Amino acid sequence: MMKFCFLYINIILLLGCAAQGIASGGPEDNEGPKLISVQPPNKTSNISPNEKIILTFDELLDPISIQTAIFISDDHKIKTKGRHVIIKPKENWIANKILTIYISRKIRDYQKNIMSEPIHIAYGTGKEIPNAKIMGKIERHVKGTIVEVGLYDWPINGEDKILQKVETDDAGFFKFEFLEYGKYVLGAVEFMLTDFGKQLRRKKYA
C-alpha cells in the first residue's frame, strides 16, 4: 500500500552580504501561458516505452523559450506546435523508473509573459510513483521575483548535490513532489540556485 505524506514549511527570505509578438485585438495580454491538459494524465503508471507526452496550453507559446525551460529525467526530444509541446523518448523511456518532467515558469507567450507557477509531472514506467511532498512559502517574497528552492539529503555537507530544484509561484509558494519518505534540507536563493554555500553570501537566501 502506498503511503501519502506531506510537509508544509514557512521559510523567510533574508538579505545576504552583498520574437517578436503576434498581432491581436482586444485587451492587452498581461498573463502568461497556462497548462490546460496533459496526455497521458499526470501520475500515470505503466506508460509504454515509447509513450508520447503532449502538453497543451491556453495560448501560443514562444518556441525559443521552450528548450531551456523543460527538464526531463530521461533522454528525450521536444517539439513545439502552436499551443502544444510534444515530448518523446530518444529511443525508449528507461524501464521501471520514475519519469519526471519539470516545467519552469520561464516558458512564455509572444508578449513575453511568463507562467505564474511552475509545473511538475511524473510518470511510472512500471514503478509506483512516490507520493511524499514538501510544500511551503517564502516569506517577504516580492511578486514577480522568482526564487529557486533546492532540496538536499539530510545531513548536508559542502559537497551535497541538489536532488530537486523548484521555483516559487507568483505568491512565493513552492512545492516538491514525488519524493521518497525521508529527511531533507531546503535552501533557497533569489533568481537562480547553483551553489548555495557560495550564493548565500551575495544573494537573498532562505
Side-chain angles (χ1 to χ4, degrees):
M1 180 184 296
M2 291 190 297
K3 294 182 178 179
F4 177 80
C5 307
F6 74 88
L7 179 66
Y8 186 90
I9 299 175
N10 268 22
I11 55 182
I12 299 176
L13 194 67
L14 304 173
L15 182 61
C17 299
Q20 191 163 342
I22 52 176
S24 62
E28 184 180 357
D29 179 7
N30 293 316
E31 294 188 358
K34 295 182 179 66
L35 183 68
I36 56 175
S37 74
V38 182
Q39 289 297 328
N42 189 16
K43 303 180 185 178
T44 298
S45 295
N46 296 305
I47 63 170
S48 64
N50 60 351
E51 186 82 53
K52 179 166 53 176
I53 298 159
I54 302 175
L55 314 175
T56 302
F57 292 80
D58 66 342
E59 61 178 322
L60 294 175
L61 303 174
D62 180 354
I64 295 174
S65 70
I66 302 295
Q67 296 292 334
T68 58
I70 298 181
F71 305 90
I72 302 172
S73 61
D74 199 352
D75 288 340
H76 60 278
K77 297 183 285 187
I78 297 177
K79 181 187 290 186
T80 306
K81 286 188 175 180
R83 298 186 300 119
H84 307 286
V85 176
I86 302 163
I87 301 169
K88 300 178 181 178
K90 278 195 175 176
E91 294 182 3
N92 288 319
W93 301 123
I94 298 174
N96 296 313
K97 291 283 186 179
I98 305 302
L99 172 66
T100 59
I101 301 172
Y102 183 77
I103 304 170
S104 165
R105 292 180 56 190
K106 297 181 182 73
I107 284 184
R108 60 180 182 260
D109 59 20
Y110 278 96
Q111 285 70 44
K112 312 235 179 261
N113 300 309
I114 64 172
M115 299 197 301
S116 62
E117 60 184 6
I119 299 161
H120 205 175
I121 299 167
Y123 298 102
T125 59
K127 187 177 180 181
E128 288 185 344
I129 300 171
N131 271 331
K133 301 178 183 179
I134 299 175
M135 300 181 290
K137 183 181 181 183
I138 302 291
E139 298 292 347
R140 305 179 194 169
H141 176 269
V142 178
K143 186 175 181 179
T145 301
I146 295 177
V147 174
E148 288 195 341
V149 186
L151 184 78
Y152 303 83
D153 271 326
W154 171 269
I156 193 168
N157 60 56
E159 298 181 355
D160 279 335
K161 293 183 179 179
I162 300 174
L163 303 176
Q164 280 191 34
K165 188 166 67 169
V166 299
E167 299 165 334
T168 52
D169 66 14
D170 258 351
F173 289 95
F174 64 87
K175 177 165 45 174
F176 292 95
E177 298 187 82
F178 319 121
L179 300 176
E180 299 286 354
Y181 180 76
K183 291 184 178 181
Y184 300 96
V185 178
L186 303 181
V189 168
E190 197 170 61
F191 304 119
M192 182 179 294
L193 173 62
T194 54
D195 186 326
F196 185 76
K198 294 179 180 178
Q199 289 179 293
L200 63 83
R201 298 178 178 87
R202 307 188 305 270
K203 292 181 176 290
K204 290 182 179 179
Y205 70 93

